[in-house]
Amino acid sequence: MVRAMRMHARFMVVLAGVAMAASCGGGKAAGPRATPVVPAGPTPDVPTIPVTAPLVPPPSVNGRLPTDIVPQAYGLMLTVDPDKPRFSGTTYIDILATAPTRAIILHARKMNITSAVVGTPEGAIIPAKATLRMAAGGKEDPEELVLELASELRAGEARIAIDYDAPFDDQLRGLYRVKDGGRWYAFTQFEPTDARRAFPCFDEPGFKVPFTLQRRHPDGLLALANSEPVPAPVAAVTPGVATTEFATTPPLPTYLVAFAVGPFELLEGPADAKPRIRVATPIGKSKLGAAALESSAAFVKIMEDYFAQPYPFSKLDLLAVPEFAAGAMENPGLITFRDEALLLAPQASTNARRRVAGIIAHELAHQWFGNLVTMKWWNDLWLNEGFATWMADKVVDKWQPSFGARVESLSSKAWVMETDALASARAVRQPINSTSEALEAFDGITYVKGASILTMLESHVGEDAFRAGVRAYLAAHARGSATADDLFTELDRAAPDKPVSKLAATFLDRAGLPLVRSSAITCDGPAASVQLTQRRYVRAGAQAGAASPGTGAGAAVDASAPWSIPVCLMYSAAKGAPKTLCTMLDGPSATVVLPGAACKQGWVYPNASEAGYYRWVVPDAMFTQLAAAAGKGQLAVAQRLGLINDAWALVGSGDLGADVMLATLARFGGERERNVVDALDSALRTVRDTVVAPADEAAYAAWVVKLLGPMGKQLGWDAAKTDSEDRRLTRQTVLRLLGDLGNDKATLTEAARRLKLWLDKPEALDPDMAAMAVSLGARTGDRGTFDALLAIHKAAKLPEHRVLALTGLGNFSDPALLGEALALSLSADVRLQDMRYIVRPAVRHATRAITWAWLQKNWDAIKARVGGFGIDRFVGITGAFCDRAERDAAEAFFTPRIANLEGTARTLKESLEEADVCINLRARESARVGAFLKK
């Protein structure tokens, strides 16, 4: 419920006059409809007391604003002309002062404040001196805006009015502009802390209030925002300038406010659909949004059913952004996407279609988890991102079961477990005390570990109880803010016999993950049983440290205490099919009775459905049994995939030799299931990059060809009409392995031939083979190949073709041509967001030294262009060094250069430890691998 603020008429007129006076000289918008409202209810009765604290409190060490001023509503009036380098605006903020004060602290960054006043309901207008200052833990720019008031503001309601102007950001943050097809467009990206670059605000997620937006922009351009435009447009006051006002939004945090201005095209969904769905694109691209319209409509219906809540906003616009730092952003009513993450040609590849579907599902899940109910602070970011990651897999599998999204996520879980096994790993719920730490929280721990914990909780309590708890949580906190503990309270109520609060805390509030060890099956007593033990899983070369301090109800979790682990065992039965038994492992060890287990040569698979977030180990003889069963396809897909992933993990911890690992992988030469082949791909690449000594690389390549050559020959290069999508994807994976790891001459020759076909006419080559042909074919490419790829990049009308051409440029083996491609990535000819498509393949094993030398030589240019957008990815190259001298050189290079860069410290720390682990692993295992390859 909201109501108009009861304020003295003189106060309303004078504050509106601030904007009017500014508009006479600077062209800012004004209008009474932009004035905000505040929630209904009585103003707290706070006594007026003398101000005894310092006039301006210092920045808080926890990164939070003072609690004496609480925003109630915003009115944002901006003049946005994408053709110009700066924008301007007036921000009205209705506030509640909980105590008398002479200073108001809020957020602003890189702004020129031209006027600031505070008005009261009694009609008093208090001038304010505006100053920007550094926040505690700040590294780059001042981001706190201090308003020093000329006189005391009494407790109660008031309104701030601020006039300002600012530059469009040049690193895809805040309010920024980009050119596409010769036309300028303006877009926003505010998460986590960049709303303060676009308008003065209380830029914290717990402040969730209504926004009323008004935009002045060149006539003929379309303005988009979170909500619908009001039916009656505001009358233009300047020739050639239009004004668009939008309906007041439901309560939102600042990071979810979004708007855009440009000559957009719209592709409309059905007019009677609820919600109304549209795809908005730059000129000439709207036809590529048809698939997104179809899938998003299906996803909304699936989610409405799951959550038992209708889509929570008045409209749903999907906006394709030509340059975008993130993959996508869940702004309510105006979800923004990189163009390649939204737009698809009818002939798009299978990978592209599945990737786009997954991204759309992720952002739509946020409309309930994150937007309808929002985290109170960034320490619970996992609740937004982990849930959206988890829900996207569930929704995609409901929509298209053949995609196998949940099984595919097991590979992501295996990847994040490697990071989680480092001493430098952080807890999921980690204290966040600065912008830099907030940026660092957008990582695999938040997204993938968070999602994996939710998978484990759902498996533990059951799908029905889990869904009931989620529905109750959303109903209880709709339009408000909450914490993960609020969710767990509802889950405990939904499944009282299986409470999750304690279980979840042991995984959320400490770093790391457990290793569950199972003994052999014993039949000494009246029934068969196994002994289970647990300890922290640690990769050799890393030192297990204390868990990072938690921030939830489980913050008191002892880092040395056992995890509460829901363990599900699958075991061989004396008669019939294998059986499954689930139990809770709460202590250091437990004896588990296995009814009907086979005693002789019996086996146990310690993570039956791979829903548990833990590594596992069994006796050597039992592991050999499991590997043999997996190689024959006798284990389920998730188990075969899990066995490969856990085998490598056990090499990392020292529980399994790398030679045994290779012998295990050799059993999968006949595997045809896509997700298992993908796990094989990951394992083979990791082995090559870590434990294969340079002198043994040729022998390893020959072994890969021997293992996969028959599969590659059987799959062939050309898909049959009857081929499933999974078979098409498996073909790509196997042929790429043969060319990349195996250096197979026949494969590379054929890839080069098909690359030429693609260069002549991209549409002529099967899109499912194009990615593999381009990346492998470029390895042996020459100047003519390079120029042809560059020409396709410049002329590409489809996002997928643009990305493929850039990826090809990053795959050249010729040092001069690769150097030219890397130089191109720093030029205006390549979009800032697209640099990764060149740099990422260039960091591969064979050309890493070339790329590292380029990075060191061009660091200043890289930093100047990239800034806060993805600079951590360049720092992350450190983790690929498996040589002590290279590792130490990287540490010496980066340490002084990133000291004042936000969001990079943790990346360097983890990457250095990754290098340490690799160095240790190679020293321990390379001789075993060499001996195995010589057999």
Side-chain angles (χ1 to χ4, degrees):
M1 296 286 292
V2 295
R3 63 175 172 85
M5 179 179 284
R6 293 192 300 269
M7 287 193 171
H8 192 281
R10 175 175 172 272
F11 170 59
M12 296 290 293
V13 171
V14 172
L15 281 191
V18 172
M20 288 297 291
S23 71
C24 292
K28 294 189 181 70
R33 290 182 62 112
T35 56
V37 292
V38 295
T43 301
D45 184 14
V46 181
T48 300
I49 57 175
V51 179
T52 58
L55 179 62
V56 179
S60 173
V61 295
N62 68 2
R64 310 288 286 270
L65 293 173
T67 58
D68 60 339
I69 302 295
V70 182
Q72 305 293 297
Y74 287 80
L76 305 180
M77 306 164 65
L78 279 80
T79 297
V80 178
D81 183 347
D83 284 341
K84 296 180 180 179
R86 298 181 70 86
F87 62 94
S88 59
T90 297
T91 293
Y92 296 110
I93 311 175
D94 288 351
I95 61 171
L96 178 66
T98 61
T101 186
R102 287 284 302 279
I104 297 175
I105 314 297
L106 61 162
H107 291 111
R109 190 164 180 172
K110 288 192 172 181
M111 279 183 187
N112 174 42
I113 307 296
T114 55
S115 173
V117 298
V118 178
T120 70
E122 295 77 24
I125 302 298
I126 306 173
K129 175 186 176 183
T131 307
L132 289 171
R133 72 179 185 187
M134 294 293 289
K139 292 188 174 186
E140 295 181 14
D141 306 312
E143 53 186 320
E144 288 189 349
L145 174 60
V146 179
L147 301 182
E148 296 181 64
L149 307 183
S151 59
E152 181 179 280
L153 174 66
R154 294 189 301 173
E157 296 178 334
R159 174 174 289 165
I160 303 170
I162 302 174
D163 289 349
Y164 66 98
D165 60 82
F168 285 106
D169 190 79
D170 60 358
Q171 292 170 343
L172 311 185
R173 301 166 297 185
L175 175 55
Y176 65 95
R177 63 178 189 148
V178 297
K179 183 177 280 190
D180 185 80
R183 301 174 179 88
W184 285 102
Y185 297 79
F187 302 96
T188 58
Q189 171 56 26
F190 292 160
E191 191 179 30
T193 61
D194 287 322
R196 64 194 65 175
R197 296 177 185 269
F199 56 93
C201 56
F202 295 82
D203 201 8
E204 295 185 359
F207 293 133
K208 194 171 181 182
V209 300
F211 285 78
T212 303
L213 283 71
Q214 188 184 96
R215 296 288 169 270
R216 295 187 77 225
H217 53 82
D219 198 8
L221 299 186
L222 180 63
L224 302 171
N226 301 97
S227 57
E228 299 273 10
V230 296
V234 178
V237 296
T238 305
V241 177
T243 302
T244 305
E245 185 176 339
F246 298 90
T248 300
T249 70
L252 297 177
T254 48
Y255 82 87
L256 287 176
V257 175
F259 49 90
V261 175
F264 297 112
E265 288 184 352
L266 297 175
L267 181 64
E268 303 267 1
D272 58 347
K274 292 184 178 181
R276 185 197 70 180
I277 305 177
R278 306 185 302 183
V279 173
T281 73
I283 287 178
K285 300 179 181 180
S286 60
K287 291 182 180 180
L288 300 177
L293 274 181
E294 178 185 354
S295 61
S296 59
F299 294 157
V300 166
K301 291 184 182 300
I302 293 170
M303 292 184 199
E304 287 180 330
D305 178 65
Y306 184 88
F307 295 124
Q309 289 256 12
Y311 173 77
F313 301 97
S314 63
K315 70 179 178 75
L316 176 54
D317 287 344
L318 311 177
L319 176 59
V321 183
E323 287 217 54
F324 196 51
M329 179 64 203
E330 66 266 20
N331 314 300
L334 186 64
I335 305 177
T336 43
F337 299 80
R338 285 183 173 214
D339 58 0
E340 69 264 33
L342 181 68
L343 305 180
L344 291 170
Q347 69 274 26
S349 67
T350 301
N351 266 329
R353 288 186 288 105
R354 292 188 175 191
R355 182 176 63 251
V356 167
I359 293 171
I360 292 174
H362 180 104
E363 303 310 324
L364 286 174
H366 274 306
Q367 305 310 305
W368 287 265
F369 254 81
N371 296 3
L372 179 64
V373 181
T374 306
M375 63 193 172
K376 287 186 175 179
W377 186 243
W378 298 109
N379 62 310
D380 261 331
L381 176 64
W382 82 277
L383 190 58
N384 281 18
E385 299 298 349
F387 194 94
T389 302
W390 172 85
M391 189 65 187
D393 292 338
K394 180 176 286 288
V395 169
V396 169
D397 277 345
K398 178 78 172 178
W399 177 59
Q400 293 286 353
S402 63
F403 282 18
R406 193 266 162 181
V407 174
E408 190 173 281
S409 72
L410 297 178
S411 293
S412 298
K413 182 182 76 168
W415 162 74
V416 82
M417 282 177 163
E418 293 292 276
T419 299
D420 207 13
L422 298 173
S424 55
R426 66 175 185 86
V428 175
R429 290 197 288 195
Q430 182 86 358
I432 303 294
N433 299 318
S434 66
T435 288
S436 185
E437 290 178 355
L439 288 167
E440 290 174 347
F442 288 81
D443 63 359
I445 295 294
T446 290
Y447 286 72
V448 181
K449 183 176 180 180
S452 300
I453 291 170
L454 291 170
T455 296
M456 180 171 63
L457 296 181
E458 182 194 37
S459 176
H460 175 58
V461 304
E463 287 190 43
D464 291 344
F466 190 85
R467 182 175 58 246
V470 167
R471 288 175 173 179
Y473 165 81
L474 291 175
H477 301 283
R479 305 297 179 191
S481 300
T483 68
D485 296 319
D486 295 320
L487 171 62
F488 300 145
T489 295
E490 299 299 340
L491 290 174
D492 287 346
R493 289 173 180 164
D497 57 330
K498 293 183 177 180
V500 303
S501 294
K502 177 185 174 184
L503 186 166
T506 62
F507 284 88
L508 291 171
D509 293 319
R510 63 195 287 190
L513 70 154
L515 174 69
V516 174
R517 183 181 296 274
S518 172
S519 70
I521 298 175
T522 60
C523 297
D524 297 336
S529 66
V530 291
Q531 183 79 8
L532 299 182
T533 60
Q534 65 160 293
R535 64 171 174 83
R536 182 175 178 180
Y537 168 72
V538 181
R539 295 163 68 188
Q543 298 297 319
S548 303
T551 55
V557 171
D558 181 357
S560 62
W563 277 266
S564 294
I565 313 171
V567 175
C568 286
L569 308 174
M570 189 178 80
Y571 58 94
S572 56
K575 294 181 180 180
K579 298 177 179 290
T580 299
L581 181 145
C582 297
T583 185
M584 281 296 296
L585 182 59
D586 282 315
S589 63
T591 299
V592 180
V593 175
L594 302 179
C599 292
K600 293 183 178 180
Q601 296 184 331
W603 53 261
V604 174
Y605 190 99
N607 196 353
S609 63
E610 283 294 326
Y613 187 77
Y614 55 87
R615 294 294 195 187
W616 56 263
V617 62
V618 295
D620 290 349
M622 188 183 293
F623 184 86
T624 300
Q625 284 180 278
L626 290 173
K632 296 175 183 177
Q634 295 172 349
L635 297 182
V637 170
Q639 294 160 349
R640 304 202 302 273
L641 190 156
L643 185 127
I644 291 173
N645 290 333
D646 269 76
W648 175 249
L650 298 179
V651 174
S653 64
D655 291 285
L656 192 71
D659 52 343
V660 179
M661 168 72 175
L662 289 176
T664 300
L665 297 182
R667 297 178 181 273
F668 288 87
E671 181 64 60
R672 294 296 181 271
E673 208 289 329
R674 174 181 65 87
N675 284 298
V676 182
V677 174
D678 286 347
L680 182 64
D681 174 283
S682 178
L684 290 170
R685 292 178 186 279
T686 303
V687 166
R688 193 274 309 276
D689 290 345
T690 53
V691 295
V692 176
D696 293 321
E697 287 184 1
Y700 183 72
W703 181 80
V704 168
V705 172
K706 181 179 178 181
L707 173 65
L708 298 177
M711 192 191 310
K713 185 176 181 179
Q714 184 188 63
L715 290 168
W717 281 82
D718 297 307
K721 291 183 179 180
T722 56
D723 277 0
S724 67
E725 289 188 348
D726 274 8
R727 184 175 176 87
R728 287 171 172 268
L729 294 174
T730 300
R731 178 181 291 108
Q732 291 182 48
T733 301
V734 172
L735 293 177
R736 185 180 279 112
L737 279 169
L738 287 169
D740 192 11
L741 264 63
N743 292 320
D744 181 60
K745 185 176 180 180
T747 301
L748 292 172
T749 299
E750 180 62 16
R753 186 185 75 82
R754 291 178 181 246
L755 170 58
K756 290 181 179 179
L757 296 176
W758 188 82
L759 293 174
D760 290 339
K761 188 178 181 181
E763 296 81 3
L765 193 63
D766 179 350
D768 284 328
M769 293 304 297
M772 190 275 298
V774 170
S775 60
L776 279 186
R779 304 285 172 89
T780 57
D782 56 15
R783 163 57 62 183
T785 309
F786 185 98
D787 291 343
L789 283 168
L790 183 57
I792 287 181
H793 160 252
K794 290 181 177 180
K797 294 182 179 180
L798 299 179
E800 190 170 8
H801 289 169
R802 184 188 80 245
V803 169
L804 269 183
L806 290 172
T807 302
L809 291 171
N811 268 286
F812 278 83
S813 299
D814 181 284
L817 292 174
L818 181 60
E820 193 172 333
L822 290 167
L824 181 70
S825 74
L826 288 173
S827 75
D829 290 332
V830 173
R831 300 175 182 180
L832 175 55
Q833 70 164 27
D834 288 346
M835 284 184 69
R836 68 178 67 189
Y837 296 121
I838 292 178
V839 177
R840 185 167 53 196
V843 179
R844 70 186 185 279
H845 183 76
T847 55
R848 188 172 299 136
I850 297 171
T851 306
W852 173 230
W854 167 81
L855 186 153
Q856 293 175 87
K857 182 179 179 180
N858 294 279
W859 175 255
D860 289 342
I862 293 170
K863 185 176 70 171
R865 183 167 201 220
V866 175
F869 168 61
I871 194 71
D872 59 311
R873 295 187 181 94
F874 292 89
V875 177
I877 190 176
T878 304
F881 293 133
C882 209
D883 173 86
R884 175 61 59 184
E886 291 177 339
R887 179 259 185 223
D888 291 349
E891 181 178 24
F893 178 82
F894 282 123
T895 298
R897 288 170 172 82
I898 69 165
N900 294 316
L901 292 179
E902 294 171 347
T904 56
R906 176 167 294 281
T907 298
L908 180 59
K909 187 176 182 181
E910 291 179 351
S911 297
L912 288 169
E913 192 177 356
E914 283 281 4
D916 289 337
V917 168
C918 187
I919 292 165
N920 175 284
L921 192 59
R922 180 169 291 182
R924 189 183 79 231
E925 297 291 340
S926 61
R928 291 180 183 176
V929 170
F932 175 88
L933 294 172
K934 290 180 174 64
K935 290 181 181 179

